[in-house]
């Protein structure tokens, strides 16, 4: 944390003053639920916005109010429910324990072998990962690796424009993730339209951070081998071992209860007095905005 504060020239005293200011602001919002914000979440959002306080307020508001816009991702997230338990045990995701020299966190998605799965439930788990990290991880950016070697066409057709748009909206405007790189391995031709849609939704500078790789081992030419799983040419624990540690964490009593309780943490939009900044994904009233495709 000291490294991050030094980068933004913020002292511990100044950080606490900013955190207290945001707590005070939150308590005065009639539409937001009467809960105690966690200091760790505020700090994570401050870092991701380069300590721009108004942007942090928007992200906190969006984090809660977006449940009305993306209920399929943000409700019914009991980690021991049959489908989430199955997918956690299968191990779609691994958040690497060591960061890059630039203080970036690497997250890897992969399908071990061709199979059918419900994309919405996999996205739900991905967003649960981001939510856990808001409490437990401070870094200067995120590197996302998607190993598409075993993706089927039947998997990809579930990535409809509304689903892709809502997913991108959450990551960009709610999660606190600062995208520093997106790495696609073995991308099949049928996934090109999905990539095209994602690029339309991203700002040009973020779209420019998308990189295509032909095989898993290519990642070892981008990141130090010392932090990568064995399957990706690295020296760390295997992907499965890292994914299993994540499963144990999210299914622990504390975190299971957390995700169950979050179903009750919702905004009352009828009491809203502040305007949540509009963006190109959703209209001002929170409805899904139609996109035009070439």
């Amino acid at each position: 944390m000291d490294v991050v504060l030094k980068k933004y020239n913020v002292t511990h005293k100044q950080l606490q003053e900013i955190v207290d200011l945001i707590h005070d602001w939150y308590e005065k919002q009639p539409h937001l639920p009467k809960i105690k914000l966690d200091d760790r979440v505020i700090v994570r959002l401050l870092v991701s916005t380069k300590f721009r306080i108004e942007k942090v307020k928007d992200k906190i508001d969006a984090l809660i109010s977006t449940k009305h816009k993306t209920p399929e991702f943000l409700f019914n997230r009991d980690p021991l429910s049959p489908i989430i338990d199955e997918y956690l045990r299968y191990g779609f995701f691994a958040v690497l324990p060591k960061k890059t020299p630039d203080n970036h966190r690497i997250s890897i998605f992969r399908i071990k072998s061709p199979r059918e799965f419900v994309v919405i439930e996999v996205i739900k788990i991905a967003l649960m990962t981001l939510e856990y990290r808001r409490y437990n991880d401070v870094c200067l950016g995120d590197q996302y690796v998607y190993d598409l070697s075993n993706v089927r066409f039947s998997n990809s057709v579930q990535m409809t424009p509304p689903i892709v748009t809502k997913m991108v909206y959450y990551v960009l405007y709610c999660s606190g993730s600062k995208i520093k790189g997106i790495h696609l391995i073995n991308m099949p031709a049928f996934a090109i339209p999905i990539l095209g849609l994602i690029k339309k939704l991203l700002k040009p500078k973020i779209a420019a951070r998308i990189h295509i790789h032909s095989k898993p081992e290519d990642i070892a030419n981008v990141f130090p081998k010392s932090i990568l799983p064995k399957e990706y040419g690295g020296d760390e624990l295997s992907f499965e071992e890292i994914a299993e540690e994540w499963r144990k964490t999210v299914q622990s009593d504390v975190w299971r209860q957390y995700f169950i309780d979050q179903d009750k943490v919702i905004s009352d939009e009828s009491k809203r007095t502040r305007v949540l900044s509009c963006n190109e994904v959703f209209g001002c009233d929170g409805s899904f905005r139609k996109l035009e495709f070439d």
Side-chain angles (χ1 to χ4, degrees), residues 2-3 5-6 12 19 24 70 95 103 134 150 172 181 195 215 242 253 265 279-280 294:
D2 287 340
V3 174
L5 291 180
K6 185 176 180 181
H12 284 277
V19 168
D24 183 62
T70 59
V95 180
N103 206 354
R134 275 200 299 277
N150 292 310
L172 291 182
L195 177 60
K215 57 185 185 297
I242 298 170
D253 291 343
V265 180
N279 55 68
E280 65 270 27
D294 295 329

Side-chain angles (χ1 to χ4, degrees), residues 18-52:
I18 295 170
V19 168
D20 290 343
L21 185 153
I22 292 171
H23 275 300
D24 183 62
W25 163 82
Y26 181 88
E27 291 169 3
K28 295 174 181 176
Q29 305 308 305
H31 67 292
L32 295 177
K34 302 305 178 186
I35 59 171
K36 174 72 171 175
L37 287 180
D38 194 294
D39 286 2
R40 293 172 295 175
V41 173
I42 296 174
V43 170
R44 165 81 179 186
L45 295 177
L46 282 167
V47 172
S48 73
T49 60
K50 300 180 181 179
F51 286 83
R52 286 175 282 191

Side-chain angles (χ1 to χ4, degrees), residues 11 32 38 42 81 151 156 161 164 179 236 252 289:
T11 67
L32 295 177
D38 194 294
I42 296 174
S81 66
V151 170
S156 70
V164 172
I179 301 172
E236 252 292 350
S252 67
R289 176 170 290 173

Side-chain angles (χ1 to χ4, degrees), residues 36-249:
K36 174 72 171 175
L37 287 180
D38 194 294
D39 286 2
R40 293 172 295 175
V41 173
I42 296 174
V43 170
R44 165 81 179 186
L45 295 177
L46 282 167
V47 172
S48 73
T49 60
K50 300 180 181 179
F51 286 83
R52 286 175 282 191
I53 295 173
E54 292 307 310
K55 281 204 168 189
V56 172
K57 292 177 182 178
D58 269 352
K59 283 189 180 292
I60 291 171
D61 195 344
L63 267 173
I64 298 171
S65 65
T66 196
K67 289 184 175 181
H68 298 291
K69 306 169 185 175
T70 59
E72 61 270 68
F73 299 154
L74 299 175
F75 285 101
N76 302 314
R77 299 184 298 169
D78 181 351
L80 290 180
S81 66
I83 191 165
I84 294 180
D85 179 56
E86 176 192 344
Y87 287 3
L88 285 171
R89 290 180 184 279
Y90 179 82
F92 284 100
F93 299 99
V95 180
L96 304 194
K98 295 178 182 176
K99 291 183 275 192
T100 72
D102 293 326
N103 206 354
H104 296 169
R105 183 70 67 188
I106 302 172
S107 301
I108 302 177
F109 164 82
R110 77 161 185 168
I111 304 171
K112 287 182 287 189
S113 58
R115 62 162 289 170
E116 297 300 326
F117 56 87
V118 181
V119 163
I120 285 176
E121 296 298 324
V122 174
I123 294 173
K124 181 183 291 186
I125 294 171
L127 301 189
M128 290 168 69
T129 305
L130 287 173
E131 194 158 341
Y132 171 83
R133 288 183 53 219
R134 275 200 299 277
Y135 289 85
N136 297 286
D137 188 20
V138 176
C139 60
L140 293 178
D142 284 288
Q143 299 278 352
Y144 295 108
V145 177
Y146 298 92
D147 186 346
L148 306 177
S149 302
N150 292 310
V151 170
R152 291 175 168 178
F153 178 75
S154 58
N155 305 142
S156 70
V157 295
Q158 297 180 61
M159 295 290 284
T160 62
I163 293 299
V164 172
T165 304
K166 290 180 179 184
M167 177 184 70
V168 172
Y169 170 83
Y170 184 89
V171 173
L172 291 182
Y173 298 98
C174 307
S175 71
S177 176
K178 196 170 183 63
I179 301 172
K180 293 295 185 179
I182 299 172
H183 303 267
L184 306 175
I185 301 171
N186 276 341
M187 187 178 72
F190 57 73
I192 292 175
I194 299 172
L195 177 60
L197 170 57
I198 291 172
K199 284 185 172 181
K200 285 185 178 220
L201 297 170
L202 297 175
K203 294 178 180 178
K205 71 175 183 179
I206 298 179
R209 296 172 185 164
I210 297 176
H211 309 279
I212 310 296
H213 306 276
S214 60
K215 57 185 185 297
E217 295 79 10
D218 288 350
I219 295 299
N221 297 322
V222 181
F223 305 112
K225 292 183 179 181
S226 60
I227 67 175
L228 292 174
K230 296 173 183 176
E231 298 90 335
Y232 295 88
D235 305 322
E236 252 292 350
L237 298 172
S238 70
F239 181 100
E240 289 194 13
E241 289 172 309
I242 298 170
E244 175 62 10
E245 286 304 309
W246 158 244
R247 180 193 70 78
K248 290 177 181 177
T249 297

